[in-house]
């Protein structure tokens, strides 16, 4: 467990390798027929965000909340919320703690990304249509999808990946290439 401290805004921050991290996210992945599949979301920005946001694709993540005791708690809660409370927190946590999972650190944005492994036998339970086209908590329009890892690489080349993921892209690519496909 990583040491927890509280910032002036009341949100927790977590110390990992002598650096503070204040937000976390999840990309769930599985391997089907020797292909890496990633569960991500394609967001439609509307209103005030429409002119400011150029990206479309992102993970399930966000800032720590007061109740989070660890950075894993932050990642699990954010994924749970953004999947509209339809995936058990225990399932998400197990995916993050699986031996095939990876933790990636972005010091600049103080962000921790977890690549959480979902066994192929559990892949069917995460049918994207069940999560709807609107995230209930924020009312953001989005589509949840399983995409091939090559699609994520193309999204990056088109500059349509969330900035926090773009900053980490070489690390994400390296970690995904290390997986036994």
């Amino acid at each position: 467990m990583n040491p927890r401290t509280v910032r002036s805004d009341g949100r927790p921050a977590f110390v990992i390798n002598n650096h503070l991290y204040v937000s976390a996210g999840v990309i769930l992945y599985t391997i089907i027929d020797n292909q890496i599949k990633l569960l991500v979301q394609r967001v439609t920005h509307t209103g005030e965000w429409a002119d400011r946001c150029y990206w479309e694709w992102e993970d399930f993540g966000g800032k720590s909340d007061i109740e989070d005791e660890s950075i894993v708690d932050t990642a699990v809660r954010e994924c749970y919320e953004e999947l509209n409370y339809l995936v058990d927190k225990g399932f998400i946590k197990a995916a993050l703690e699986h031996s095939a999972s990876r933790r990636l650190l972005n010091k600049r944005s103080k962000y921790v990304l977890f690549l959480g492994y979902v066994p192929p036998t559990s892949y069917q339970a995460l049918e994207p249509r069940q999560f709807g086209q609107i995230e209930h908590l924020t009312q953001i329009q989005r589509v949840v999808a399983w995409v091939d890892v090559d699609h994520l690489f193309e999204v990056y080349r088109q500059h349509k990946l969330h900035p926090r993921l773009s900053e980490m892209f070489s690390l994400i690519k390296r970690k995904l290439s290390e997986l036994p496909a």
Side-chain angles (χ1 to χ4, degrees), residues 12-25:
F14 305 97
V15 179
I16 304 171
N17 299 337
N18 296 317
H19 293 280
L20 281 180
Y21 293 88
V22 297
S23 52

Side-chain angles (χ1 to χ4, degrees), residues 26-29 92-104 113-119 175 179:
V26 175
I27 295 177
L28 296 173
Y29 82 90
I92 298 167
K93 188 169 184 178
L96 304 189
E97 293 176 343
H98 191 281
S99 62
S101 296
R102 303 291 182 265
R103 180 184 77 178
L104 293 72
L113 175 67
F114 291 90
L115 300 175
Y117 178 70
V118 175
K175 291 297 182 183
L179 297 174

Side-chain angles (χ1 to χ4, degrees), residues 148-165:
D148 290 333
V149 71
D150 292 338
H151 182 74
L152 188 71
F153 297 162
E154 185 58 33
V155 166
Y156 172 74
R157 285 191 285 277
Q158 294 174 0
H159 305 287
K160 294 189 176 197
L161 193 59
H162 191 288
R164 69 181 174 229
L165 298 179

Side-chain angles (χ1 to χ4, degrees), residues 44-163:
T44 302
H45 297 286
T46 59
E48 66 178 276
W49 289 97
D51 295 332
R52 298 189 306 180
C53 299
Y54 59 86
W55 70 86
E56 296 175 5
W57 292 92
E58 54 187 66
D59 59 328
F60 305 98
K63 296 178 183 176
S64 63
D65 275 354
I66 293 169
E67 71 269 10
D68 297 337
E69 292 295 323
S70 71
I71 200 70
V72 171
D73 289 347
T74 300
V76 168
R77 180 188 46 73
E78 284 289 337
C79 188
Y80 177 69
E81 290 172 357
E82 293 184 18
L83 290 175
N84 288 335
Y85 311 100
L86 295 173
V87 178
D88 182 74
K89 284 184 178 182
F91 179 92
I92 298 167
K93 188 169 184 178
L96 304 189
E97 293 176 343
H98 191 281
S99 62
S101 296
R102 303 291 182 265
R103 180 184 77 178
L104 293 72
L105 306 174
N106 184 336
K107 294 177 191 172
R108 193 177 86 62
S109 66
K110 301 178 181 174
Y111 195 78
V112 179
L113 175 67
F114 291 90
L115 300 175
Y117 178 70
V118 175
T121 53
S122 300
Y123 163 76
Q124 299 283 343
L126 297 174
E127 165 54 44
R129 288 182 298 217
Q130 72 179 309
F131 304 118
Q133 294 186 356
I134 294 179
E135 182 190 325
H136 296 316
L137 189 65
T138 62
Q139 296 301 300
I140 292 174
Q141 292 181 343
R142 57 49 190 287
V143 174
V144 175
W146 283 103
V147 300
D148 290 333
V149 71
D150 292 338
H151 182 74
L152 188 71
F153 297 162
E154 185 58 33
V155 166
Y156 172 74
R157 285 191 285 277
Q158 294 174 0
H159 305 287
K160 294 189 176 197
L161 193 59
H162 191 288

